[in-house]
Amino acid sequence: MKALLILLLAQLCSASLVPEREKDPEYWRRQAQETLRNALRLQRLNQNVAKNLILFLGDGMGVSTVTAARILKGQLHGQGEESLLEMDKFPFVALAKTYNTNAQVPDSAGTATAYLCGVKANEGTLGVSAGVTRDRCNTTKGQEVTSILRWAKDAGKAVGIVTTTRVTHATPSAAYAHSANRDWYSDGEMPPDALEGGCKDIARQLVENIPEIEVILGGGRKYMYPKNVSDVEYPHEEKHRGTRLDRRNLVQEWQNKKPPGKVAEYVWHRRGLLALNLSRVDFLLEKPPRVLPPGRRKGNKGAARLGRGKRCPAVPGSVGGRIDHGHHEGKAKQALHEAVELDRAIGLATRLTSTQDTLSVVTADHSHVFTFGGYTPRGNPIFGLAPMQSDVDRKPFTSILYGNGPGYKIVAGERENVSAVDFAHADYQAQSAVPLRQETHGGEDVAVFARGPMAHLLHGVHEQNYIPHAMAYAACIGSNRGHCNAAARPATPLLLPFLGLLLLLLC
């Protein structure tokens, strides 16, 4: 009876939250007609050549995360469920199947190989075909596959990688590396047999494989320095010391490899980045020591300024790597705020580019076992309680829950009573059904949002590896260029667009 009363009260409360305009059927009819008119306009397909490509990758940003982030964004601005994310405004949407060749539920390395290199691969492997077995260096030779970043570079384009994780993390590193193990960040993390077999660590490949990547922004500089070399920012913290056994200074090598007369700048903090005259910079490397904590963003304006410079008339795009980290820790608040930050970056790119010459794609590598429900009324705080108690253990529960993860807690033999804890805290770990130290990925499809030239090629349900092929077709790069002659499509002047990858660092 008590549970029924709570539910009835919640329904009454929900009714009072309905905006007056939404009580009028004509409101919904007008909205539907406007949507229909916009949809009809899409029949005039944009078949321009894409001068610029931007790929925004929300690591772990499944559909449930997108929906919850939309509500959070709305609530942060005095709105709610009716609000729109920037990615929601993209006119074309598809679903991508994320499985790896040997895994039903994928990891970030195999998926990155798919959406960057156009080839599905085994879990844990980077930039190689499914002929490579994880950890086995001797299976790598001859199995390397190249990425859309390489295709763009070979076509004379300017390219870049921007991420809130380590640049050597699985998500961005498939753009340039070929590795039988995603964790081989430096030679200090590699087993002797891999070193003896001639396999290269990921940081070394960042410098050697595609030496003229114009922009590299992301964390993990310790993998670039000799073992036990003190960090410039945290000289007394052992965890930030260099890890390289070969004693190489890859930052210095990165600068030395640049052609004569070219300006290559290395910075490691926001102040140094914003102080640069980016119109005079040809190559930029920013390497903070670690992944950026959720909510801390830096360097976005500087990156945008560089993207709009004389040699690079486009906008850098982005990887939202910390969405994934928040979910793995069961900290939904951190994950969703990260998704909102990624959406801000998408909005910035939208304002600085044109749909006439820039193809922007937003997607995720995989989902998570994250959900929200419980018959919450409209306007319910996204991090709040469901309006009822469990009819089994008679305890309240939060709307947000995980299928597994570190939020599983038993107190006095029973499920923890969440009303006794601060479930709105940023570090709160939402309850899960199965105890695990780290929450796992989910196996469902992820959304693909697209706008700009040839965006209509991303529609329906696709294998994840289709994404870079569609983008390359739009930009007339890579191997599939038979449609790019002047008779088939309008000719465009040669420009040096910026291929942006993974999360921009918002101020």
Side-chain angles (χ1 to χ4, degrees):
M1 177 63 73
K2 183 177 179 182
L4 178 60
L5 179 60
I6 292 174
L7 179 58
L8 290 173
L9 288 173
Q11 290 173 339
L12 288 172
C13 180
S14 176
S16 69
L17 292 172
V18 177
E20 282 301 314
R21 65 181 184 180
E22 294 185 13
K23 296 178 183 179
D24 181 358
E26 281 304 310
Y27 167 79
W28 297 107
R29 292 174 184 138
R30 286 193 299 271
Q31 184 196 69
Q33 289 298 314
E34 182 181 357
T35 303
L36 178 59
R37 287 191 293 273
N38 290 335
L40 289 170
R41 293 189 190 103
L42 296 179
Q43 292 183 96
R44 299 191 292 273
L45 299 178
N46 180 348
Q47 299 188 63
N48 295 344
V49 172
K51 300 175 185 177
N52 311 311
L53 298 176
I54 307 177
L55 175 61
F56 294 94
L57 194 286
D59 196 328
M61 190 178 69
V63 172
S64 57
T65 297
V66 171
T67 307
R70 178 189 306 128
I71 295 172
L72 172 60
K73 178 183 177 181
Q75 292 180 349
L76 290 172
H77 295 88
Q79 300 174 357
E81 295 77 5
E82 73 283 2
S83 65
L84 291 174
L85 293 168
E86 296 297 330
M87 67 187 85
D88 292 336
K89 302 172 187 177
F90 284 31
F92 295 95
V93 182
L95 291 176
K97 298 188 283 185
T98 63
Y99 67 92
N100 295 152
T101 47
N102 66 340
Q104 188 177 75
V105 177
D107 92 311
S108 294
T111 52
T113 303
Y115 63 76
L116 290 175
C117 302
V119 173
K120 287 222 170 190
N122 292 330
E123 63 86 26
T125 64
L126 286 167
V128 291
S129 75
V132 174
T133 303
R134 185 170 186 170
D135 293 324
R136 292 181 59 184
C137 169
N138 60 2
T139 64
T140 305
K141 189 172 183 180
Q143 300 297 321
E144 299 88 350
V145 294
T146 57
S147 73
I148 189 170
L149 186 141
R150 165 62 80 179
W151 310 341
K153 197 65 192 170
D154 288 347
K157 311 299 185 181
V159 298
I161 300 170
V162 183
T163 177
T164 52
T165 67
R166 300 176 301 275
V167 176
T168 49
H169 184 272
T171 303
S173 62
Y176 59 84
H178 315 285
S179 180
N181 190 314
R182 56 176 286 177
D183 298 326
W184 290 349
Y185 304 125
S186 76
D187 58 349
E189 285 77 38
M190 295 178 68
D193 67 301
L195 293 172
E196 293 165 4
C199 284
K200 298 179 181 179
D201 62 86
I202 296 169
R204 178 181 171 186
Q205 293 187 62
L206 174 64
V207 173
E208 295 183 354
N209 287 6
I210 310 178
E212 294 191 4
I213 299 173
E214 278 77 6
V215 176
I216 303 170
L217 304 182
R221 66 173 172 245
K222 69 179 182 180
Y223 305 115
M224 311 284 284
Y225 287 101
K227 188 173 178 63
N228 292 326
V229 167
S230 296
D231 183 75
V232 63
E233 190 173 6
Y234 302 99
H236 304 298
E237 295 189 28
E238 185 175 350
K239 65 180 179 180
H240 292 310
R241 293 177 183 171
T243 64
R244 302 200 62 80
L245 301 178
D246 58 14
R247 310 301 298 174
R248 292 171 66 174
N249 181 331
L250 294 183
V251 172
Q252 189 63 55
E253 290 187 25
W254 173 83
Q255 291 182 305
N256 293 342
K257 285 178 180 290
K258 299 301 175 283
K262 297 294 184 179
V263 178
E265 293 284 357
Y266 165 63
V267 295
W268 49 271
H269 50 63
R270 181 176 184 270
R271 184 175 65 257
L273 178 63
L274 296 181
L276 294 175
N277 182 348
L278 293 175
S279 65
R280 299 180 180 178
V281 175
D282 298 286
F283 300 94
L284 175 62
L285 173 66
E286 185 200 32
K287 295 288 288 182
R290 56 193 175 192
V291 296
L292 297 174
R296 182 186 173 193
R297 295 289 169 265
K298 58 181 184 175
N300 184 58
K301 292 181 180 177
R305 284 165 53 206
L306 181 62
R308 299 173 77 185
K310 297 177 181 177
R311 290 171 296 280
C312 189
V315 183
S318 108
V319 162
R322 299 289 273 159
I323 300 170
D324 182 70
H325 295 173
H327 279 325
H328 277 309
E329 295 177 12
K331 297 177 180 178
K333 193 165 192 175
Q334 296 188 11
L336 295 186
H337 275 281
E338 286 293 299
V340 172
E341 290 296 313
L342 172 61
D343 198 60
R344 288 182 62 200
I346 295 167
L348 174 65
T350 299
R351 293 190 295 274
L352 295 177
T353 59
S354 168
T355 56
Q356 295 305 303
D357 62 12
T358 300
L359 173 61
S360 299
V361 176
V362 182
T363 189
D365 47 356
H366 54 74
S367 186
H368 277 267
V369 291
F370 161 86
T371 188
F372 69 101
Y375 302 114
T376 48
R378 183 153 174 191
N380 199 72
I382 191 63
F383 302 115
L385 294 173
M388 67 188 78
Q389 293 181 346
S390 165
D391 58 4
V392 177
D393 65 11
R394 307 300 176 185
K395 289 184 173 66
F397 59 97
T398 56
S399 171
I400 285 174
L401 297 167
Y402 287 93
N404 57 51
Y408 180 94
K409 291 182 178 65
I410 297 296
V411 178
E414 298 181 348
R415 181 173 67 93
E416 181 180 50
N417 189 331
V418 294
S419 63
V421 299
D422 183 4
F423 52 80
H425 193 278
D427 290 327
Y428 173 71
Q429 294 176 308
Q431 291 185 339
S432 67
V434 176
L436 287 177
R437 290 186 177 89
Q438 288 271 297
E439 176 264 4
T440 72
H441 296 168
E444 68 268 24
D445 298 348
V446 296
V448 186
F449 305 86
R451 68 187 287 271
M454 306 301 283
H456 58 277
L457 296 178
L458 291 160
H459 66 282
V461 180
H462 301 295
E463 294 286 357
Q464 193 172 39
N465 67 289
Y466 169 71
I467 294 172
H469 292 284
M471 295 181 71
Y473 183 94
C476 288
I477 61 175
S479 58
N480 188 8
R481 291 180 288 178
H483 61 293
C484 298
N485 59 74
R489 298 174 66 189
T492 57
L494 178 62
L495 295 176
L496 296 180
F498 188 123
L499 175 65
L501 300 174
L502 317 157
L503 210 113
L504 280 182
L505 317 179
L506 289 171
C507 297

